[in-house]
Amino acid sequence: MTVTHTPINNRHFILRTTAQVNSSHPLPLATYQPPPNLLANKVVLITGAGGGIGKSAATACAAHGANVILHGPSLKPLEQVYDSIEESGYPTPAIYVLNLERATPEDYLGLANRLGDYAWYYDNSNSKTHPVGEKLPNAWGLYDVHGNVREWCQDRWHAAD
């Protein structure tokens, strides 16, 4: 596996991974069936969501309960995926149009800042909790579903600092 990253600033970067799979040995994950609510209360940003693998990934994440942010270079294909996700009864997605080939570091920071309109997280919380309702509500009118105190909770996947 090869991992590369492109710095945007001292706290944000773009991470790309590539891997080769030996096709002579079937992967044990081929039989894995994720639970329907696996991504409930998670926000997932899908780049290239207007078609192909991105569209499939967006639909699959929404089907498993994620609040999906559909990202791509043009609005019309994203709107079609948005309509398909809504018609399926999955959580209402958001759309963020940005052409990554022409994007500047400021464009990426703008995306990060927009996400910060809805949630408290490590970079914007000053390492403290905040009263409920200081950020925008999600599509169901609920506040602080994706961050704030939840960011301070541990589970079996995250080690204590």
Side-chain angles (χ1 to χ4, degrees), residues 84-99:
S84 174
I85 289 172
E86 273 214 321
E87 289 169 5
S88 297
Y90 304 141
T92 302
I95 292 178
Y96 195 87
V97 178
L98 176 65
N99 186 332

Side-chain angles (χ1 to χ4, degrees), residues 62-112:
H64 287 88
N67 294 306
V68 178
I69 301 171
L70 305 173
H71 171 263
S74 57
L75 181 61
K76 188 168 179 125
L78 298 176
E79 288 178 327
Q80 292 171 345
V81 176
Y82 178 101
D83 291 343
S84 174
I85 289 172
E86 273 214 321
E87 289 169 5
S88 297
Y90 304 141
T92 302
I95 292 178
Y96 195 87
V97 178
L98 176 65
N99 186 332
L100 294 178
E101 292 177 357
R102 296 186 189 105
T104 64
E106 292 78 20
D107 292 326
Y108 291 108
L109 289 175
L111 174 58

Side-chain angles (χ1 to χ4, degrees), residues 18 65 82 104 114 129 132:
T18 56
Y82 178 101
T104 64
R114 181 71 178 127
T129 61
V132 171

